Amino acid sequence: MKIVVIGGSGLIGSKLVIKLREHGHEAIAASPSSGVNTLTGEGLAEALKGASVVVDVSNSPSFEDAAVLKFFETSTRNLLTYEAAAGVGHHVALSVVGTEGLSESGYFRAKIAQEKMIKNSAIPYSIVHATQFFEFLKSLADISFDGDKVRLPPVLFQPMAADDVASEVGRIAVGPPVNGTVEIGGPEEFRLDELVRQRLAALKDPREVIADPKALYSGAKVSLRTLVPGKTARLGKTRFETWLTQSAAQIPSRKVS
């Protein structure tokens, strides 16, 4: 089938396109660099012609509150409009475990708005809630650094490898729409501060990580289990120690794709 991946040149999108093609699907990597712009609508009609599924793994170039909300609302509105015109039968969107409990954060308010638009659309859909990616642990330390120490709440955390994210999103994309949310996560539970401490140590980053119960996560207060999926979540196979030893453990510039 023809599957269009919005954000197809990013961390998850590029992996997803490869996996879909390996399974015999016509996977189109759509992004501004390929002439497809979901904010303006440029190239969308042509890209979606004959598509059975659209997978949106795009992310806002700016995480400032107003900008990120405008990005997700405009992009999602355009996508759903063009999908309806093209007869697309399945809209898949990548979001984040715990989103509904993180509304103090401008980024997560934008993701909540995106999900609401998808649910209110007539197009059958699947929303994938993923836990944080191993690849973004350093970025998480960076945004939690106060100039002296990295302050993180000592809550439970179950991150996963980007490769496993792409695999699970691919499985959902080629299956029937669930018209609901599917949770995916890593195979191991950690404490957030402990795992970031391990990651920085592996990078020989000297910054000290402090467990601070008052610290925020992307600008929001979190409870003990906000960032971990429920018992029915689909779990990836890659363990953190395994990922650390892989040469593909690159450091992207943003936290969630």
Side-chain angles (χ1 to χ4, degrees):
M1 65 177 84
K2 179 178 176 180
I3 302 172
V4 178
V5 179
I6 305 296
S9 61
L11 174 66
I12 302 301
S14 57
K15 292 176 182 292
L16 176 58
V17 166
I18 291 169
K19 289 175 187 292
L20 290 171
R21 288 175 180 167
E22 285 173 348
H23 284 85
H25 300 288
E26 180 190 353
I28 307 298
S31 65
S33 61
S34 68
V36 180
N37 191 320
T38 55
L39 293 178
T40 64
E42 177 195 0
L44 265 181
E46 185 61 33
L48 298 187
K49 198 177 290 179
S52 301
V53 183
V54 170
V55 183
D56 184 7
V57 294
S58 63
N59 208 358
S60 174
S62 168
F63 285 4
E64 187 273 322
D65 286 5
V68 73
L69 180 63
K70 183 178 180 183
F71 173 85
F72 281 117
E73 285 188 334
T74 305
S75 176
T76 303
R77 185 179 300 112
N78 284 337
L79 268 178
L80 294 171
T81 299
Y82 280 88
E83 284 171 28
V88 172
H90 189 186
H91 179 96
V92 181
L94 181 60
S95 194
V96 189
V97 163
T99 289
E100 59 283 348
L102 295 164
S103 60
E104 288 180 334
S105 160
Y107 180 84
F108 288 103
R109 282 197 298 275
K111 294 299 286 183
I112 290 168
Q114 176 193 29
E115 291 185 23
K116 186 176 180 182
M117 292 173 77
I118 293 166
K119 290 170 184 174
N120 289 339
S121 161
I123 297 170
Y125 71 92
S126 301
I127 294 172
V128 185
H129 272 193
T131 56
Q132 183 62 280
F133 312 155
F134 294 147
E135 285 80 357
F136 291 116
L137 291 173
K138 183 185 177 295
S139 296
L140 184 54
D142 293 343
I143 64 170
S144 305
F145 184 56
D146 65 4
D148 179 32
K149 311 210 185 282
V150 176
R151 297 185 178 277
L152 290 163
V155 296
L156 296 176
F157 196 53
Q158 202 168 323
M160 62 191 302
D163 206 53
D164 288 348
V165 177
S167 293
E168 290 297 339
V169 171
R171 285 191 192 99
I172 291 161
V174 301
V178 301
N179 292 314
T181 301
V182 177
E183 287 192 321
I184 62 175
E188 306 165 279
E189 236 180 47
F190 300 91
R191 242 180 50 181
L192 176 57
D193 58 302
E194 288 175 349
L195 194 64
V196 172
R197 195 175 291 115
Q198 284 185 50
R199 182 65 182 127
L200 294 188
L203 292 168
K204 297 183 168 49
D205 186 323
R207 288 178 294 176
E208 185 181 356
V209 178
I210 299 293
D212 181 353
K214 294 182 180 177
L216 303 178
Y217 179 86
S218 291
K221 290 184 193 129
V222 284
S223 64
L224 183 65
R225 301 197 64 84
T226 301
L227 305 178
V228 295
K231 292 180 180 177
T232 59
R234 305 181 185 186
L235 303 183
K237 294 182 176 144
T238 309
R239 299 174 75 83
F240 181 63
E241 286 298 330
T242 305
W243 176 83
L244 267 186
T245 63
Q246 293 170 344
S247 59
Q250 301 297 318
I251 310 294
S253 58
R254 296 199 179 278
K255 56 177 190 213
V256 170
S257 277

